[in-house]
Amino acid sequence: MTSGLWELVLQGVWVTIQLLFFSSLLATAVSFVAGIARTHRLWIVRFLAGLYTEVFRGTSALVMIFWVFFVLPPAFGWQLVPMWAGTLALGLTYGAYGSEIVRGALGAVDPAQKEGGIALSFTPWQRMKLILLPQAVPEMIPPFSNLLIELLKGTALVSIMGMGDLAFSGNLVRLALQESAEIYTYILLIYFVIAFLLTRVMRGLEKKLKAGVGKAPKKKAAAVRVPEGSGVS
């Protein structure tokens, strides 16, 4: 490929990374809000969070992108740029999956921990902040890592809006060179490298969060003084 075509591919990589960053931020925020709401004591909060989860988890991310970019703008009289339309559609869709991860991790915390917070007269928010989340978040990292990789692959769907992501740029290069095998091999390798780096980062984050969790603080060994004349040397 010529330098101009490589520049087009690199621009697509940059667009994909931006979309991944923004949509993952939105998905993370939505995951925690909806996931915590699924454990709320009020049934109406649990119902609304559950309704959101089932709707967005049960619909296609591709169709959701169509709705956000093509259907909603005429209905409300505004138009989102492709980047924000893709961010909104992907963030809400994958946030629904993430909310189940959060709900499951919070439900897996030992009930004795929750009862201890009640015994200490902690408010529900204090129990969530000081007891439940510190223990649940490290357990969320592995499934969140998988979800992040799925989100990376899902970014290719935005090419239907004409957005110049990696998949769209690769297709333009393919049309220019009339060479499919070489171009799509490069695209696969680029996706793999990005996914591999994300996996390494998430694994490092998991180790950092789990460091010291559930471990008793180390005690320094007390120095033993041997009486003189005891015959012990």
Side-chain angles (χ1 to χ4, degrees):
M1 286 196 302
T2 63
S3 59
L5 293 178
W6 272 116
E7 183 179 351
L8 180 62
V9 172
L10 292 178
Q11 289 176 354
V13 173
W14 174 236
V15 171
T16 294
I17 291 175
Q18 290 182 80
L19 179 61
L20 176 65
F21 176 75
F22 291 126
S23 57
S24 62
L25 284 182
L26 177 60
T28 301
V30 170
S31 296
F32 277 91
V33 171
I36 293 174
R38 293 291 301 276
T39 66
H40 202 274
R41 64 183 184 275
L42 296 178
W43 72 269
I44 185 62
V45 177
R46 296 196 304 271
F47 172 77
L48 292 176
L51 179 63
Y52 154 76
T53 300
E54 295 302 325
V55 169
F56 280 87
R57 192 175 57 170
T59 54
S60 168
L62 180 62
V63 177
M64 192 59 63
I65 291 174
F66 274 121
W67 264 88
V68 173
F69 192 68
F70 296 109
V71 178
L72 293 182
F76 291 94
W78 44 257
Q79 178 70 56
L80 289 174
V81 297
M83 174 64 74
W84 300 123
T87 297
L88 184 61
L90 292 175
L92 292 176
T93 299
Y94 285 89
Y97 292 97
S99 67
E100 285 296 282
I101 296 174
V102 174
R103 183 191 64 81
L106 291 174
V109 176
D110 190 346
Q113 300 289 328
K114 306 174 188 177
E115 295 169 1
I118 296 174
L120 292 172
S121 299
F122 284 178
T123 65
W125 170 241
Q126 288 176 322
R127 294 198 299 270
M128 181 65 66
K129 179 182 177 182
L130 302 176
I131 299 176
L132 299 181
L133 284 178
Q135 298 181 66
V137 167
E139 303 303 322
M140 300 177 194
I141 299 302
F144 265 134
S145 178
N146 291 333
L147 191 61
L148 184 61
I149 302 303
E150 289 297 323
L151 177 55
L152 168 65
K153 294 184 286 186
T155 58
L157 298 175
V158 302
S159 59
I160 65 170
M161 299 184 294
M163 187 174 175
D165 70 312
L166 178 56
F168 186 82
S169 300
N171 189 51
L172 291 181
V173 174
R174 181 189 67 83
L175 293 175
L177 299 179
Q178 293 298 309
E179 179 63 49
S180 298
E182 178 185 359
I183 300 306
Y184 285 128
T185 299
Y186 287 142
I187 299 303
L188 284 175
L189 289 175
I190 292 173
Y191 274 115
F192 172 76
V193 169
I194 298 175
F196 180 79
L197 293 176
L198 290 174
T199 302
R200 296 293 100 185
V201 171
M202 295 297 286
R203 190 163 296 178
L205 180 61
E206 179 185 1
K207 290 181 179 179
K208 182 177 181 180
L209 291 176
K210 285 187 175 181
V213 175
K215 297 180 180 179
K218 295 181 179 180
K219 296 181 180 180
K220 295 182 179 180
V224 179
R225 184 175 182 181
V226 180
E228 296 181 3
S230 61
V232 180
S233 57

